[in-house]
Amino acid sequence: AERERILREKGGWVCGVFEKSGLAHAMRMTNCNPLLECFPDLRVYFSVVPDDPSTLLCIECGLTTSNKTTLLYHVIAKHLELKPFRCTECPKAAAIYSTIQQHTARAHGAKGGEEDGKHAGRVVARSSASSSVMCCSVCGETFPAPLHLLHHFFGNHWYEIQLERERKAAATENEKEVDARAESQRRKENDFAEKNRRRAEQLHGSAANIDDA
């Protein structure tokens, strides 16, 4: 009853006092509307097809879908180029949680069963259970549902990721400017050397003519 009341009041969104009190891990975010309301960086990609309001449209590339969550993961993977989900067993990260679940079952579940035949069932069961936990790729905190993790990820890490990308972009631009100045200087030096060589040839030719005369 408490879960239903919270989900009804919050529209499936768990955060704030619930997260701090520990109730968040017992709840699940049931839709991505609150996520889009909180983070404009995601919402700006969302639109609808003019002739069909029930069909969602990606502003960036024109992808259409009837599922809002599908478009959300498309934006995260293709346009924001983020990998919020991480395997609980290794550093493997991905943009979509199902990719991590498949990786965990394939890379860790099967491996465990092959290495220890006596306890293979127990190892595979443990891996299967761990694959249902969503692990943040930045800080390693775990969540019971993918949308809940995304709310944590964008709320706690997105700003730092943007700053880091801006720093890298600025560093790249600075490197390009330095390289451009160095290339310009090399060209000037080469031009100067070529002019001196031609002048020396001209002087040598003039001296030879004088000697012949």
Side-chain angles (χ1 to χ4, degrees):
E2 180 67 9
R3 178 181 184 276
E4 293 178 357
R5 182 185 67 79
I6 294 174
L7 292 178
R8 185 172 61 253
E9 292 179 357
K10 294 293 181 180
W13 182 29
V14 181
C15 68
V17 64
F18 302 110
E19 188 170 28
K20 293 178 181 178
S21 66
L23 290 177
H25 289 280
M27 308 299 177
R28 288 177 179 269
M29 186 186 294
T30 57
N31 62 71
C32 62
N33 288 334
L35 194 67
L36 298 177
E37 292 173 3
C38 283
F39 304 108
D41 287 346
L42 295 172
R43 191 171 63 247
V44 293
Y45 289 91
F46 283 67
S47 185
V48 295
V49 176
D51 298 333
D52 184 10
S54 64
T55 301
L56 296 169
L57 172 70
C58 175
I59 292 295
E60 185 71 16
C61 68
L63 174 79
T64 58
T65 178
S66 59
N67 189 299
K68 189 176 292 185
T69 304
T70 299
L71 184 54
L72 172 65
Y73 284 118
H74 162 77
V75 169
I76 291 173
K78 300 298 182 182
H79 302 307
L80 297 182
E81 298 181 347
L82 296 171
K83 294 181 178 181
F85 300 94
R86 194 189 75 196
C87 176
T88 57
E89 306 286 339
C90 72
K92 169 74 174 179
I96 304 173
Y97 72 94
S98 59
T99 303
I100 294 299
Q101 289 179 321
Q102 293 169 4
H103 158 80
T104 303
R106 182 174 60 253
H108 303 297
K111 180 179 178 181
E114 292 173 359
E115 288 183 349
D116 189 353
K118 183 178 179 181
H119 301 291
R122 186 177 66 187
V123 173
V124 172
R126 177 183 60 80
S127 296
S128 177
S130 65
S131 67
S132 64
V133 176
M134 308 300 151
C135 180
C136 175
S137 62
V138 177
C139 66
E141 187 172 354
T142 57
F143 299 88
L147 291 176
H148 190 183
L149 183 146
L150 289 178
H151 189 275
H152 157 83
F153 182 88
F154 282 97
N156 293 277
H157 305 306
W158 176 227
Y159 179 69
E160 287 79 5
I161 291 173
Q162 286 179 304
L163 288 180
E164 181 61 23
R165 287 180 173 180
E166 290 175 1
R167 282 193 290 266
K168 289 183 178 179
T172 301
E173 287 299 320
N174 290 336
E175 290 177 0
K176 289 180 179 179
E177 291 179 3
V178 170
D179 291 342
R181 287 196 295 267
E183 179 63 23
S184 177
Q185 183 64 27
R186 282 194 295 269
R187 288 179 180 176
K188 290 180 180 179
E189 292 175 354
N190 290 337
D191 291 343
F192 183 74
E194 180 64 18
K195 289 178 180 179
N196 285 339
R197 185 185 65 79
R198 290 177 180 177
R199 180 177 178 130
E201 289 178 352
Q202 291 174 354
L203 292 174
H204 180 73
S206 300
N209 293 334
I210 292 173
D211 291 341
D212 293 339

